[in-house]
């Protein structure tokens, strides 16, 4: 059986993620867990995150799961969601926080105070709501999802990969930024697939059956 563990380290939209996975893969063993044994025996992991990255890193570290998550990325598919994507990088300027270092790069805050939207209004930070994602990399997790589909975002910070080849999707908010990253068996989104209607569900379904 395909065992999918949504990592419970005390931060993130766990239930909504798990419900979306169960919807697209009713035959899979989907569980929310903070147990080391579950992390290590999982076939694939989902790393969610919500709130401030310093809090997420602290909770992940104090939960005792950080090392197991990093180890797991060497052998099994991992999907990062929202702050779970940001955690994968080397460093975030939010609280001058070190990340997991699984992807080279940094996380920075939107600087949009001098920019106006097409209607003349100011950009709001955080970005909250629907926005398009341009697929910049051919990847199995994009299967069945139209280019420039809308996904749901809630964030003030975004990832800046050191290597452009790790950018799998871009979104425009006062200028283009990386909204999806991919490297080997890691795929991660700044948006929330579980809040993104049919396109988000298709992405979760693709992850369930992905064989990197």
């Amino acid at each position: 059986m395909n065992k999918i563990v949504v990592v419970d380290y005390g931060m993130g939209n766990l239930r909504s993620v798990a419900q979306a996975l169960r919807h697209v893969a009713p035959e899979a063993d989907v569980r929310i867990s903070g147990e080391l044994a579950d992390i290590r025996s999982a076939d694939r992991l989902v790393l969610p995150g919500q709130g401030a990255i310093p809090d997420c890193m602290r909770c992940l570290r104090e939960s005792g799961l950080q090392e197991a998550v990093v180890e797991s990325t060497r052998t099994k598919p991992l999907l990062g969601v929202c702050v779970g994507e940001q955690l994968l990088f080397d460093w975030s300027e939010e609280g001058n926080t070190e990340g997991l270092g699984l992807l080279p790069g940094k996380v920075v805050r939107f600087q949009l105070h001098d920019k106006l939207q097409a209607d003349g209004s100011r950009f709001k930070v955080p970005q909250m709501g629907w926005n398009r994602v341009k697929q910049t990399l051919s990847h199995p997790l994009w299967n069945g999802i139209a280019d420039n589909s809308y996904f749901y975002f809630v964030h003030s910070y975004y990832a800046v990969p050191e290597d452009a080849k790790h950018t799998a999707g871009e979104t425009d908010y006062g200028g283009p930024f990386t909204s999806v990253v991919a490297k080997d068996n890691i795929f991660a989104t700044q948006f929330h697939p579980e809040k993104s209607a049919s396109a988000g569900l298709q992405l979760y379904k693709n992850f369930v059956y992905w064989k990197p």
Side-chain angles (χ1 to χ4, degrees):
M1 180 177 286
N2 194 356
K3 181 178 178 180
I4 307 167
V5 172
V6 180
V7 182
D8 181 4
Y9 60 98
M11 303 288 287
N13 198 17
L14 307 178
R15 292 192 179 279
S16 294
V17 172
Q19 287 172 353
L21 288 164
R22 290 176 182 133
H23 178 78
V24 300
E27 77 288 352
D29 176 12
V30 178
R31 61 182 71 182
I32 299 168
S33 179
E35 299 295 325
L36 282 172
D38 280 329
I39 305 299
R40 289 170 174 154
S41 64
D43 295 302
R44 55 196 70 227
L45 297 176
V46 179
L47 182 66
Q50 206 164 310
I53 198 168
D55 295 332
C56 287
M57 276 303 302
R58 176 180 52 79
C59 289
L60 183 59
R61 184 172 58 252
E62 292 178 354
S63 70
L65 301 178
Q66 179 174 332
E67 184 178 346
V69 169
V70 171
E71 285 179 358
S72 294
T73 62
R74 297 173 187 147
T75 59
K76 60 190 70 174
L78 178 135
L79 176 65
V81 176
C82 194
V83 180
E85 179 221 27
Q86 297 177 11
L87 293 174
L88 302 176
F89 286 85
D90 295 318
W91 174 83
S92 172
E93 70 176 21
E94 185 178 16
N96 189 23
T97 306
E98 287 190 13
L100 297 176
L102 295 168
L103 287 168
K106 60 186 178 180
V107 176
V108 301
R109 182 178 171 85
F110 282 119
Q111 300 295 333
L112 303 174
H113 52 275
D114 60 344
K115 295 185 178 181
L116 298 178
Q117 301 193 65
D119 62 2
S121 64
R122 294 189 179 278
F123 284 94
K124 294 181 180 180
V125 178
Q127 176 188 194
M128 296 180 64
W130 297 85
N131 206 342
R132 294 181 184 272
V133 175
K134 176 178 176 58
Q135 299 170 19
T136 59
L137 179 71
S138 178
H139 195 282
L141 264 71
W142 287 133
N143 290 347
I145 300 173
D147 194 13
N148 289 307
S149 290
Y150 280 95
F151 293 89
Y152 191 81
F153 291 83
V154 182
H155 65 122
S156 301
Y157 293 79
Y158 62 93
V160 181
E162 192 174 290
D163 193 330
K165 72 181 181 183
H166 295 148
T167 296
E170 285 186 343
T171 297
D172 194 299
Y173 195 67
F177 71 91
T178 294
S179 55
V180 186
V181 294
K183 179 187 177 186
D184 302 327
N185 55 312
I186 295 173
F187 192 93
T189 68
Q190 179 60 67
F191 56 79
H192 289 270
E194 70 280 358
K195 297 180 180 179
S196 299
S198 59
L201 289 176
Q202 182 63 47
L203 192 145
Y204 274 132
K205 184 175 182 178
N206 292 341
F207 174 70
V208 169
Y209 300 108
W210 179 33
K211 296 180 180 179

